[in-house]
Amino acid sequence: MNKRMMFEHNIHVLRNVSFDSVLFSKELDKAIHTLLPYDVERLVNWVNEFLEDKPQLKAELDKEIFEELTYA
């Protein structure tokens, strides 16, 4: 799969696992470590927007993952 398609694939996976904060955190960690730097920036923006209307998921996310997003 080409690297650009990976971004869309990761978004799809994250949407599908957003019901479970543990799965979301694991998939987010995988995405951060496999995407190109440009796509990581796009992912950070997407996650921040996605979590705006999901305060419970945001609160339950692993603190390390959230900090990694902040500094990515």
Side-chain angles (χ1 to χ4, degrees):
M1 189 178 295
N2 102 22
K3 290 285 186 175
R4 295 293 176 200
M5 290 176 67
M6 288 299 296
F7 175 77
E8 294 301 326
H9 171 74
N10 281 299
I11 297 298
H12 177 75
V13 169
L14 288 169
R15 281 191 178 121
N16 287 336
V17 300
S18 64
F19 66 92
D20 182 335
S21 63
V22 174
L23 281 174
F24 190 87
S25 183
K26 285 180 182 179
E27 292 299 331
L28 183 56
D29 187 49
K30 279 197 263 183
I32 289 169
H33 290 96
T34 59
L35 291 174
L36 297 170
Y38 169 78
D39 287 333
V40 171
E41 288 180 36
R42 291 175 56 202
L43 181 68
V44 168
N45 292 335
W46 180 85
V47 169
N48 286 327
E49 288 178 23
F50 184 73
L51 293 178
E52 281 180 9
D53 62 339
K54 295 179 177 31
Q56 184 175 359
L57 178 60
K58 185 175 181 177
E60 292 175 0
L61 274 181
D62 184 53
K63 188 175 181 176
E64 282 182 28
I65 296 293
F66 201 69
E67 287 175 0
E68 196 166 337
L69 276 179
T70 305
Y71 298 113

